[in-house]
Coordinates of all heavy atoms in Angstrom, one line a residue:
M1 N -14.6 -15.4 -5.5 CA -13.9 -14.2 -5.8 C -13.2 -14.4 -7.2 O -12.5 -15.4 -7.4 CB -12.8 -13.9 -4.7 CG -12.1 -12.6 -4.9 SD -13.0 -11.1 -4.8 CE -13.5 -11.1 -3.1
I2 N -13.4 -13.4 -8.1 CA -12.8 -13.4 -9.4 C -11.5 -12.6 -9.3 O -11.6 -11.4 -9.0 CB -13.8 -12.8 -10.5 CG1 -15.0 -13.7 -10.5 CG2 -13.0 -12.8 -11.8 CD1 -16.1 -13.0 -11.4
R3 N -10.4 -13.2 -9.6 CA -9.1 -12.5 -9.5 C -8.7 -12.0 -10.9 O -8.7 -12.8 -11.9 CB -8.1 -13.5 -9.0 CG -8.5 -14.0 -7.6 CD -7.5 -15.1 -7.1 NE -6.2 -14.5 -6.8 CZ -5.1 -14.8 -7.4 NH1 -5.1 -15.7 -8.4 NH2 -4.0 -14.3 -7.1
V4 N -8.4 -10.7 -11.0 CA -8.2 -10.0 -12.3 C -6.8 -9.4 -12.3 O -6.4 -8.8 -11.4 CB -9.3 -9.0 -12.5 CG1 -9.0 -8.2 -13.8 CG2 -10.7 -9.6 -12.5
V5 N -6.2 -9.5 -13.5 CA -4.9 -8.7 -13.8 C -5.3 -7.8 -14.9 O -6.0 -8.1 -15.9 CB -3.8 -9.7 -14.3 CG1 -2.7 -8.9 -15.0 CG2 -3.2 -10.4 -13.1
L6 N -4.9 -6.5 -14.7 CA -5.1 -5.5 -15.7 C -3.8 -5.2 -16.5 O -2.7 -5.1 -15.9 CB -5.5 -4.1 -15.0 CG -6.7 -4.2 -14.1 CD1 -6.9 -2.8 -13.4 CD2 -8.0 -4.5 -15.0
A7 N -3.9 -5.2 -17.8 CA -2.7 -4.9 -18.7 C -3.1 -3.8 -19.6 O -3.9 -4.0 -20.6 CB -2.3 -6.2 -19.4
D8 N -2.5 -2.6 -19.4 CA -2.7 -1.5 -20.3 C -1.6 -0.5 -20.1 O -1.1 -0.4 -19.0 CB -4.1 -0.8 -19.9 CG -4.5 0.2 -21.0 OD1 -3.8 1.2 -21.2 OD2 -5.6 -0.1 -21.6
D9 N -1.1 0.1 -21.2 CA 0.1 0.9 -21.1 C -0.3 2.3 -20.5 O 0.6 3.0 -20.1 CB 0.7 1.1 -22.4 CG -0.2 1.7 -23.5 OD1 -1.4 1.3 -23.6 OD2 0.3 2.5 -24.3
Q10 N -1.5 2.6 -20.3 CA -1.9 3.9 -19.8 C -2.3 3.7 -18.3 O -3.3 3.1 -18.0 CB -3.0 4.5 -20.6 CG -2.6 4.9 -22.0 CD -3.7 5.5 -22.8 OE1 -4.5 6.2 -22.2 NE2 -3.7 5.3 -24.1
A11 N -1.6 4.3 -17.4 CA -1.8 4.2 -16.0 C -3.2 4.7 -15.6 O -3.9 4.1 -14.8 CB -0.8 5.0 -15.2
L12 N -3.7 5.8 -16.3 CA -5.0 6.3 -16.0 C -6.1 5.4 -16.4 O -7.1 5.2 -15.6 CB -5.2 7.7 -16.7 CG -6.4 8.5 -16.3 CD1 -6.5 8.7 -14.8 CD2 -6.5 9.8 -17.1
V13 N -5.9 4.7 -17.5 CA -6.9 3.7 -17.9 C -6.9 2.5 -16.9 O -8.0 2.1 -16.5 CB -6.6 3.1 -19.3 CG1 -7.5 1.9 -19.7 CG2 -6.8 4.3 -20.3
R14 N -5.8 2.0 -16.5 CA -5.7 1.0 -15.5 C -6.4 1.4 -14.2 O -7.1 0.7 -13.6 CB -4.3 0.6 -15.2 CG -3.6 -0.2 -16.3 CD -2.3 -0.9 -15.9 NE -1.4 -0.1 -15.1 CZ -0.5 0.7 -15.6 NH1 -0.3 0.8 -16.9 NH2 0.3 1.4 -14.8
A15 N -6.1 2.6 -13.8 CA -6.7 3.2 -12.5 C -8.2 3.2 -12.6 O -8.9 2.9 -11.7 CB -6.2 4.5 -12.2
G16 N -8.7 3.6 -13.8 CA -10.2 3.6 -14.0 C -10.8 2.2 -13.9 O -11.8 2.1 -13.3
F17 N -10.2 1.3 -14.6 CA -10.7 -0.1 -14.6 C -10.6 -0.6 -13.1 O -11.5 -1.3 -12.7 CB -10.0 -1.0 -15.5 CG -10.5 -0.9 -16.9 CD1 -9.6 -0.5 -18.0 CD2 -11.8 -1.2 -17.2 CE1 -10.1 -0.4 -19.3 CE2 -12.3 -1.1 -18.5 CZ -11.4 -0.7 -19.6
R18 N -9.5 -0.3 -12.5 CA -9.3 -0.8 -11.1 C -10.5 -0.3 -10.2 O -11.1 -1.0 -9.4 CB -8.0 -0.4 -10.5 CG -7.8 -0.9 -9.1 CD -6.5 -0.5 -8.5 NE -5.4 -1.4 -8.8 CZ -5.2 -2.6 -8.1 NH1 -6.0 -2.9 -7.1 NH2 -4.2 -3.4 -8.4
A19 N -10.8 1.0 -10.3 CA -11.8 1.6 -9.5 C -13.2 1.0 -9.8 O -13.9 0.7 -8.9 CB -11.9 3.1 -9.8
L20 N -13.5 0.7 -11.1 CA -14.7 0.1 -11.4 C -14.8 -1.3 -10.9 O -15.8 -1.8 -10.3 CB -14.9 0.1 -12.9 CG -15.2 1.4 -13.6 CD1 -15.1 1.3 -15.1 CD2 -16.6 1.9 -13.2
L21 N -13.7 -2.1 -11.1 CA -13.7 -3.5 -10.6 C -13.6 -3.6 -9.1 O -14.3 -4.5 -8.5 CB -12.6 -4.2 -11.3 CG -12.7 -4.3 -12.8 CD1 -11.4 -4.9 -13.4 CD2 -13.9 -5.1 -13.2
D22 N -12.9 -2.8 -8.5 CA -12.8 -2.9 -7.0 C -14.1 -2.5 -6.3 O -14.3 -2.9 -5.2 CB -11.7 -1.9 -6.5 CG -10.3 -2.5 -6.6 OD1 -10.1 -3.7 -6.9 OD2 -9.3 -1.7 -6.5
A23 N -15.0 -1.9 -7.0 CA -16.3 -1.5 -6.4 C -17.2 -2.7 -6.4 O -18.2 -2.7 -5.7 CB -16.9 -0.4 -7.2
Q24 N -16.8 -3.8 -7.0 CA -17.6 -5.1 -7.0 C -17.1 -6.0 -5.9 O -15.9 -6.2 -5.7 CB -17.5 -5.8 -8.4 CG -17.8 -4.9 -9.6 CD -19.2 -4.4 -9.5 OE1 -20.1 -5.1 -9.3 NE2 -19.3 -3.1 -9.7
D25 N -18.1 -6.5 -5.2 CA -17.7 -7.4 -4.0 C -17.0 -8.7 -4.4 O -16.3 -9.2 -3.6 CB -19.0 -7.7 -3.2 CG -19.6 -6.5 -2.5 OD1 -18.8 -5.5 -2.3 OD2 -20.8 -6.5 -2.3
D26 N -17.3 -9.2 -5.6 CA -16.8 -10.5 -6.0 C -15.6 -10.4 -7.0 O -15.3 -11.4 -7.6 CB -17.9 -11.3 -6.6 CG -18.6 -10.7 -7.8 OD1 -18.3 -9.5 -8.1 OD2 -19.3 -11.4 -8.5
I27 N -15.0 -9.2 -7.1 CA -13.8 -9.1 -8.0 C -12.7 -8.5 -7.2 O -12.8 -7.5 -6.5 CB -14.2 -8.2 -9.2 CG1 -15.3 -8.8 -10.1 CG2 -12.9 -7.9 -10.1 CD1 -15.7 -8.0 -11.2
D28 N -11.5 -9.1 -7.4 CA -10.3 -8.6 -6.8 C -9.2 -8.4 -7.8 O -8.8 -9.3 -8.5 CB -9.8 -9.6 -5.8 CG -8.6 -9.2 -4.9 OD1 -8.4 -8.0 -4.8 OD2 -7.9 -10.1 -4.4
V29 N -8.8 -7.1 -8.0 CA -7.7 -6.8 -9.0 C -6.4 -7.2 -8.2 O -6.0 -6.5 -7.2 CB -7.7 -5.4 -9.4 CG1 -6.5 -5.1 -10.3 CG2 -9.0 -5.0 -10.1
V30 N -5.7 -8.2 -8.7 CA -4.5 -8.7 -8.1 C -3.2 -8.2 -8.6 O -2.1 -8.4 -8.1 CB -4.5 -10.3 -8.0 CG1 -5.7 -10.8 -7.2 CG2 -4.6 -10.9 -9.4
G31 N -3.3 -7.6 -9.8 CA -2.1 -7.1 -10.4 C -2.3 -6.2 -11.6 O -3.4 -6.2 -12.2
E32 N -1.3 -5.3 -11.9 CA -1.4 -4.4 -13.1 C -0.1 -4.4 -13.8 O 1.0 -4.4 -13.2 CB -1.7 -3.0 -12.6 CG -3.0 -2.7 -11.9 CD -3.2 -1.3 -11.6 OE1 -2.6 -0.4 -12.3 OE2 -3.9 -1.0 -10.6
G33 N -0.2 -4.4 -15.1 CA 1.0 -4.4 -16.0 C 0.9 -3.3 -17.1 O -0.3 -3.1 -17.5
A34 N 2.0 -2.8 -17.5 CA 2.0 -1.7 -18.5 C 2.3 -2.2 -19.9 O 2.3 -1.4 -20.9 CB 2.9 -0.6 -18.1
D35 N 2.6 -3.5 -20.1 CA 2.9 -4.0 -21.4 C 2.7 -5.5 -21.4 O 2.4 -6.1 -20.4 CB 4.3 -3.7 -21.9 CG 5.4 -4.2 -21.0 OD1 5.2 -5.3 -20.4 OD2 6.5 -3.6 -20.9
G36 N 2.8 -6.1 -22.6 CA 2.6 -7.6 -22.7 C 3.5 -8.4 -21.9 O 3.1 -9.5 -21.3
H37 N 4.8 -8.0 -21.8 CA 5.7 -8.8 -21.0 C 5.3 -8.8 -19.5 O 5.3 -9.9 -18.9 CB 7.1 -8.2 -21.0 CG 7.8 -8.3 -22.4 ND1 8.1 -9.5 -22.9 CD2 8.0 -7.3 -23.3 CE1 8.7 -9.3 -24.1 NE2 8.6 -8.0 -24.4
E38 N 4.8 -7.7 -19.0 CA 4.4 -7.6 -17.6 C 3.1 -8.5 -17.4 O 2.9 -9.1 -16.4 CB 4.1 -6.2 -17.1 CG 5.4 -5.4 -17.0 CD 5.2 -4.0 -16.5 OE1 4.1 -3.6 -16.2 OE2 6.2 -3.3 -16.4
A39 N 2.2 -8.4 -18.4 CA 1.0 -9.2 -18.4 C 1.3 -10.7 -18.3 O 0.7 -11.4 -17.5 CB 0.1 -9.0 -19.6
I40 N 2.3 -11.2 -19.1 CA 2.7 -12.6 -19.0 C 3.3 -12.9 -17.7 O 2.9 -13.9 -17.0 CB 3.7 -12.9 -20.1 CG1 3.0 -12.8 -21.5 CG2 4.3 -14.3 -20.0 CD1 3.9 -12.8 -22.7
T41 N 4.2 -12.1 -17.2 CA 4.8 -12.3 -15.9 C 3.8 -12.4 -14.8 O 3.8 -13.3 -13.9 CB 5.8 -11.2 -15.6 OG1 6.8 -11.2 -16.6 CG2 6.4 -11.4 -14.2
L42 N 2.8 -11.4 -14.8 CA 1.8 -11.4 -13.7 C 0.9 -12.6 -13.9 O 0.5 -13.2 -12.8 CB 1.0 -10.1 -13.8 CG 1.7 -8.9 -13.4 CD1 0.9 -7.6 -13.8 CD2 1.9 -8.9 -11.9
A43 N 0.5 -13.0 -15.1 CA -0.4 -14.2 -15.3 C 0.3 -15.4 -14.8 O -0.3 -16.3 -14.1 CB -0.8 -14.3 -16.7
T44 N 1.6 -15.6 -15.0 CA 2.4 -16.7 -14.6 C 2.5 -16.8 -13.1 O 2.3 -17.8 -12.5 CB 3.8 -16.7 -15.3 OG1 3.6 -16.7 -16.7 CG2 4.6 -17.9 -14.9
R45 N 2.8 -15.6 -12.5 CA 3.1 -15.6 -11.1 C 1.8 -15.7 -10.2 O 1.7 -16.3 -9.2 CB 3.8 -14.3 -10.7 CG 4.3 -14.3 -9.3 CD 5.1 -13.0 -8.9 NE 4.1 -12.0 -8.7 CZ 4.2 -10.7 -9.1 NH1 5.3 -10.3 -9.6 NH2 3.3 -9.8 -8.8
L46 N 0.7 -15.0 -10.7 CA -0.5 -14.9 -9.9 C -1.6 -15.8 -10.3 O -2.6 -16.0 -9.6 CB -1.0 -13.4 -10.0 CG -0.1 -12.3 -9.5 CD1 -0.6 -11.0 -9.9 CD2 0.2 -12.5 -8.1
T47 N -1.6 -16.4 -11.5 CA -2.6 -17.2 -12.1 C -4.0 -16.7 -11.8 O -4.8 -17.3 -11.1 CB -2.5 -18.7 -11.5 OG1 -1.2 -19.1 -11.5 CG2 -3.3 -19.6 -12.4
P48 N -4.3 -15.5 -12.4 CA -5.6 -14.9 -12.2 C -6.7 -15.7 -12.9 O -6.4 -16.5 -13.8 CB -5.5 -13.5 -12.7 CG -4.5 -13.7 -13.8 CD -3.5 -14.7 -13.3
D49 N -7.9 -15.4 -12.6 CA -9.1 -15.9 -13.4 C -9.2 -15.3 -14.7 O -9.5 -15.9 -15.7 CB -10.4 -15.8 -12.6 CG -10.3 -16.5 -11.3 OD1 -10.1 -17.7 -11.3 OD2 -10.5 -15.8 -10.2
V50 N -8.9 -13.9 -14.7 CA -9.1 -13.1 -16.0 C -7.9 -12.1 -16.1 O -7.5 -11.6 -15.1 CB -10.4 -12.3 -15.9 CG1 -10.6 -11.4 -17.1 CG2 -11.6 -13.3 -15.8
V51 N -7.5 -12.0 -17.3 CA -6.6 -10.9 -17.7 C -7.3 -9.9 -18.6 O -7.9 -10.4 -19.6 CB -5.3 -11.3 -18.4 CG1 -4.4 -10.2 -18.8 CG2 -4.5 -12.3 -17.5
L52 N -7.5 -8.7 -18.2 CA -8.1 -7.7 -19.0 C -7.0 -7.0 -19.8 O -6.1 -6.3 -19.2 CB -8.8 -6.6 -18.1 CG -9.6 -5.6 -18.8 CD1 -10.7 -6.2 -19.7 CD2 -10.2 -4.6 -17.8
M53 N -6.9 -7.3 -21.1 CA -5.7 -7.0 -21.9 C -6.0 -6.0 -23.0 O -6.9 -6.2 -23.8 CB -5.2 -8.3 -22.6 CG -4.0 -8.2 -23.4 SD -2.5 -8.4 -22.5 CE -2.6 -10.2 -22.2
D54 N -5.2 -4.9 -23.0 CA -5.2 -3.9 -24.0 C -4.5 -4.5 -25.3 O -3.6 -5.3 -25.1 CB -4.5 -2.7 -23.6 CG -4.6 -1.5 -24.6 OD1 -5.4 -1.6 -25.5 OD2 -3.8 -0.6 -24.5
I55 N -5.0 -4.2 -26.4 CA -4.4 -4.7 -27.6 C -3.0 -4.0 -27.9 O -2.0 -4.6 -28.2 CB -5.3 -4.6 -28.9 CG1 -6.4 -5.7 -28.8 CG2 -4.5 -4.7 -30.2 CD1 -7.3 -5.6 -30.0
R56 N -3.1 -2.7 -27.9 CA -1.9 -1.9 -28.3 C -1.2 -1.4 -27.1 O -1.6 -0.6 -26.3 CB -2.3 -0.7 -29.2 CG -2.8 -1.1 -30.5 CD -3.1 0.0 -31.5 NE -1.9 0.9 -31.5 CZ -1.7 1.7 -32.5 NH1 -2.5 1.7 -33.6 NH2 -0.7 2.5 -32.5
M57 N 0.0 -2.0 -26.9 CA 1.0 -1.6 -25.9 C 2.4 -1.6 -26.4 O 2.6 -2.4 -27.4 CB 0.9 -2.5 -24.7 CG -0.5 -2.5 -24.0 SD -0.5 -3.6 -22.5 CE -0.7 -5.2 -23.3
P58 N 3.3 -0.8 -25.9 CA 4.6 -0.8 -26.4 C 5.3 -2.1 -26.1 O 4.9 -2.9 -25.2 CB 5.3 0.3 -25.6 CG 4.5 0.5 -24.4 CD 3.1 0.1 -24.8
G59 N 6.4 -2.4 -26.8 CA 7.1 -3.7 -26.5 C 6.3 -4.8 -27.1 O 6.1 -4.9 -28.3
L60 N 5.9 -5.7 -26.2 CA 5.1 -6.8 -26.6 C 3.6 -6.4 -26.5 O 3.1 -6.1 -25.4 CB 5.3 -8.0 -25.7 CG 4.7 -9.3 -26.0 CD1 5.3 -9.9 -27.3 CD2 4.8 -10.3 -24.9
D61 N 2.9 -6.4 -27.6 CA 1.5 -6.0 -27.6 C 0.6 -7.0 -27.0 O 1.0 -8.2 -26.7 CB 1.0 -5.6 -29.0 CG 1.0 -6.7 -30.0 OD1 0.7 -7.8 -29.6 OD2 1.2 -6.4 -31.2
G62 N -0.7 -6.6 -26.8 CA -1.6 -7.5 -26.2 C -2.0 -8.8 -27.0 O -2.3 -9.8 -26.4
L63 N -1.9 -8.7 -28.3 CA -2.2 -9.9 -29.1 C -1.2 -10.9 -28.9 O -1.5 -12.1 -28.8 CB -2.4 -9.5 -30.6 CG -3.6 -8.6 -30.9 CD1 -3.6 -8.2 -32.4 CD2 -4.9 -9.3 -30.6
R64 N 0.1 -10.5 -29.0 CA 1.2 -11.5 -28.8 C 1.2 -12.0 -27.4 O 1.5 -13.2 -27.2 CB 2.5 -10.9 -29.2 CG 2.6 -10.7 -30.8 CD 3.9 -10.2 -31.2 NE 4.1 -8.9 -30.7 CZ 5.3 -8.2 -30.7 NH1 6.4 -8.8 -31.2 NH2 5.4 -7.0 -30.2
A65 N 1.0 -11.2 -26.4 CA 0.9 -11.6 -25.0 C -0.2 -12.6 -24.8 O 0.0 -13.6 -24.1 CB 0.8 -10.4 -24.1
T66 N -1.3 -12.3 -25.4 CA -2.5 -13.3 -25.3 C -2.1 -14.6 -25.9 O -2.4 -15.6 -25.3 CB -3.7 -12.7 -26.1 OG1 -4.1 -11.5 -25.4 CG2 -4.8 -13.6 -26.1
R67 N -1.5 -14.6 -27.0 CA -1.1 -15.9 -27.6 C -0.1 -16.7 -26.7 O -0.3 -17.9 -26.6 CB -0.4 -15.7 -29.0 CG -1.3 -15.4 -30.1 CD -0.6 -15.3 -31.5 NE -1.4 -14.7 -32.4 CZ -1.2 -13.4 -32.8 NH1 -0.2 -12.7 -32.4 NH2 -2.1 -12.9 -33.7
R68 N 0.8 -16.0 -26.1 CA 1.7 -16.7 -25.2 C 1.0 -17.3 -24.0 O 1.3 -18.4 -23.6 CB 2.9 -15.7 -24.8 CG 3.8 -15.4 -25.9 CD 5.0 -14.7 -25.5 NE 5.8 -14.3 -26.6 CZ 6.9 -13.5 -26.4 NH1 7.3 -13.1 -25.2 NH2 7.6 -13.1 -27.5
I69 N 0.2 -16.5 -23.4 CA -0.6 -17.0 -22.2 C -1.5 -18.1 -22.6 O -1.5 -19.2 -21.9 CB -1.4 -15.8 -21.6 CG1 -0.5 -14.8 -21.0 CG2 -2.4 -16.4 -20.5 CD1 -1.2 -13.5 -20.6
A70 N -2.2 -18.0 -23.7 CA -3.1 -19.0 -24.2 C -2.4 -20.3 -24.6 O -2.9 -21.4 -24.4 CB -3.9 -18.6 -25.4
N71 N -1.1 -20.2 -25.0 CA -0.4 -21.4 -25.4 C 0.4 -22.1 -24.2 O 1.0 -23.1 -24.4 CB 0.6 -21.1 -26.5 CG -0.1 -20.8 -27.8 OD1 -1.1 -21.4 -28.1 ND2 0.5 -20.0 -28.6
D72 N 0.3 -21.5 -23.0 CA 1.0 -22.0 -21.9 C 0.1 -23.0 -21.1 O -0.9 -22.5 -20.6 CB 1.4 -20.9 -21.0 CG 2.3 -21.4 -19.8 OD1 2.2 -22.5 -19.4 OD2 3.0 -20.5 -19.2
P73 N 0.3 -24.3 -21.2 CA -0.6 -25.2 -20.5 C -0.8 -25.0 -19.0 O -1.8 -25.3 -18.5 CB 0.1 -26.6 -20.7 CG 1.3 -26.4 -21.5 CD 1.5 -24.9 -21.8
T74 N 0.2 -24.4 -18.4 CA 0.0 -24.1 -16.9 C -0.9 -22.9 -16.7 O -1.4 -22.7 -15.6 CB 1.4 -23.7 -16.3 OG1 1.9 -22.5 -16.8 CG2 2.4 -24.9 -16.5
L75 N -1.3 -22.2 -17.7 CA -2.2 -21.1 -17.6 C -3.6 -21.4 -18.3 O -4.3 -20.5 -18.7 CB -1.6 -19.8 -18.2 CG -0.3 -19.4 -17.5 CD1 0.3 -18.2 -18.2 CD2 -0.6 -19.1 -16.0
A76 N -3.9 -22.6 -18.5 CA -5.1 -23.0 -19.3 C -6.4 -22.5 -18.7 O -7.3 -22.2 -19.4 CB -5.1 -24.5 -19.4
A77 N -6.4 -22.3 -17.4 CA -7.6 -21.8 -16.7 C -7.7 -20.3 -16.8 O -8.8 -19.7 -16.5 CB -7.6 -22.2 -15.3
V78 N -6.7 -19.6 -17.2 CA -6.7 -18.1 -17.3 C -7.5 -17.7 -18.5 O -7.2 -18.1 -19.6 CB -5.3 -17.5 -17.3 CG1 -5.4 -16.0 -17.5 CG2 -4.5 -17.9 -16.0
R79 N -8.5 -16.8 -18.3 CA -9.3 -16.3 -19.4 C -8.8 -14.9 -19.7 O -8.4 -14.1 -18.8 CB -10.8 -16.3 -19.1 CG -11.3 -17.6 -18.8 CD -11.2 -18.5 -20.1 NE -11.7 -19.8 -19.9 CZ -10.9 -20.9 -20.0 NH1 -9.7 -20.8 -20.4 NH2 -11.4 -22.1 -19.8
I80 N -8.8 -14.5 -21.0 CA -8.3 -13.2 -21.4 C -9.5 -12.4 -22.1 O -10.1 -12.9 -23.0 CB -7.1 -13.3 -22.3 CG1 -6.0 -14.1 -21.6 CG2 -6.6 -11.9 -22.7 CD1 -4.9 -14.5 -22.5
L81 N -9.7 -11.2 -21.6 CA -10.7 -10.3 -22.2 C -9.9 -9.2 -22.8 O -9.2 -8.5 -22.2 CB -11.6 -9.8 -21.2 CG -12.7 -8.8 -21.7 CD1 -13.6 -9.5 -22.7 CD2 -13.5 -8.3 -20.5
I82 N -9.9 -9.2 -24.2 CA -9.1 -8.2 -24.9 C -10.0 -6.9 -25.2 O -11.2 -7.0 -25.5 CB -8.6 -8.7 -26.3 CG1 -7.7 -9.9 -26.0 CG2 -7.9 -7.7 -27.1 CD1 -7.2 -10.6 -27.3
L83 N -9.4 -5.8 -25.0 CA -10.1 -4.5 -25.2 C -9.3 -3.6 -26.0 O -8.0 -3.7 -26.0 CB -10.5 -3.9 -23.9 CG -9.4 -3.5 -23.0 CD1 -9.2 -2.0 -23.0 CD2 -9.7 -3.9 -21.6
T84 N -9.9 -2.7 -26.7 CA -9.3 -1.6 -27.4 C -10.2 -0.5 -27.7 O -11.4 -0.7 -27.7 CB -8.7 -2.2 -28.8 OG1 -7.9 -1.1 -29.4 CG2 -9.8 -2.6 -29.7
T85 N -9.6 0.7 -27.9 CA -10.4 1.8 -28.3 C -10.3 2.1 -29.7 O -10.9 3.0 -30.3 CB -10.0 3.1 -27.5 OG1 -8.6 3.4 -27.7 CG2 -10.3 2.9 -26.0
F86 N -9.5 1.3 -30.4 CA -9.2 1.5 -31.8 C -10.3 0.8 -32.7 O -10.6 -0.4 -32.4 CB -7.8 1.0 -32.2 CG -6.7 1.8 -31.6 CD1 -6.2 1.4 -30.4 CD2 -6.2 2.9 -32.2 CE1 -5.2 2.1 -29.8 CE2 -5.2 3.6 -31.7 CZ -4.7 3.3 -30.4
D87 N -10.8 1.5 -33.6 CA -11.9 1.0 -34.5 C -11.3 0.5 -35.8 O -11.5 1.0 -36.9 CB -12.9 2.0 -34.7 CG -14.2 1.5 -35.4 OD1 -14.4 0.3 -35.4 OD2 -14.9 2.3 -36.0
L88 N -10.4 -0.6 -35.7 CA -9.8 -1.2 -36.8 C -10.2 -2.6 -36.9 O -10.1 -3.4 -36.0 CB -8.3 -1.0 -36.7 CG -7.7 0.4 -36.6 CD1 -6.2 0.4 -36.3 CD2 -8.0 1.2 -37.9
D89 N -10.6 -3.1 -38.1 CA -11.0 -4.4 -38.3 C -9.9 -5.5 -38.0 O -10.2 -6.5 -37.5 CB -11.5 -4.7 -39.7 CG -12.8 -4.0 -40.0 OD1 -13.5 -3.7 -39.1 OD2 -13.1 -3.8 -41.2
E90 N -8.7 -5.1 -38.2 CA -7.6 -6.1 -38.0 C -7.4 -6.4 -36.5 O -6.9 -7.4 -36.1 CB -6.3 -5.7 -38.6 CG -5.7 -4.4 -38.1 CD -6.0 -3.2 -39.0 OE1 -7.0 -3.3 -39.8 OE2 -5.3 -2.2 -39.0
Y91 N -7.9 -5.5 -35.6 CA -7.8 -5.8 -34.2 C -9.0 -6.6 -33.8 O -9.0 -7.3 -32.8 CB -7.8 -4.5 -33.4 CG -6.5 -3.8 -33.5 CD1 -6.4 -2.4 -33.5 CD2 -5.3 -4.4 -33.7 CE1 -5.2 -1.7 -33.6 CE2 -4.1 -3.8 -33.8 CZ -4.1 -2.4 -33.7 OH -2.9 -1.7 -33.9

């Protein structure tokens, strides 16, 4: 079973990803967060296999949250898939 945390500031986007992922027999969405702080908290508490991370979120954005998770040795096994709808090279 692949355990996934969703991190996106838009509840509708999270709901859409949850619906798609929950339809898979081998994927379990174990948590949802609306900003980078929540993503870090969920990753630390739940130790998922994957965090599906939005880049642009209020407060702590997905890039900074990704850095913090990636730099935490206790979360070394957590993989982060970053997504965005923005077509900007810097992202």
Side-chain angles (χ1 to χ4, degrees):
M1 183 68 64
I2 299 169
R3 301 174 70 244
V4 177
V5 163
L6 303 174
D8 195 295
D9 59 319
Q10 297 182 30
L12 188 57
V13 171
R14 289 193 316 272
F17 279 120
R18 178 181 275 278
L20 290 170
L21 295 172
D22 280 345
Q24 305 304 310
D25 293 335
D26 58 348
I27 297 176
D28 184 23
V29 177
V30 295
E32 295 183 31
D35 63 29
H37 293 292
E38 289 181 6
I40 294 167
T41 298
L42 289 166
T44 302
R45 189 178 78 215
L46 302 172
T47 318
D49 299 301
V50 177
V51 175
L52 185 58
M53 180 87 71
D54 185 16
I55 285 182
R56 289 188 52 158
M57 294 183 285
L60 187 68
D61 66 32
L63 294 175
R64 290 186 292 167
T66 295
R67 283 187 197 102
R68 289 191 189 174
I69 293 170
N71 287 330
D72 185 336
T74 66
L75 300 176
V78 176
R79 299 296 176 241
I80 302 169
L81 179 61
I82 298 177
L83 62 105
T84 186
T85 58
F86 293 92
D87 188 19
L88 299 173
D89 288 341
E90 61 263 22
Y91 289 147

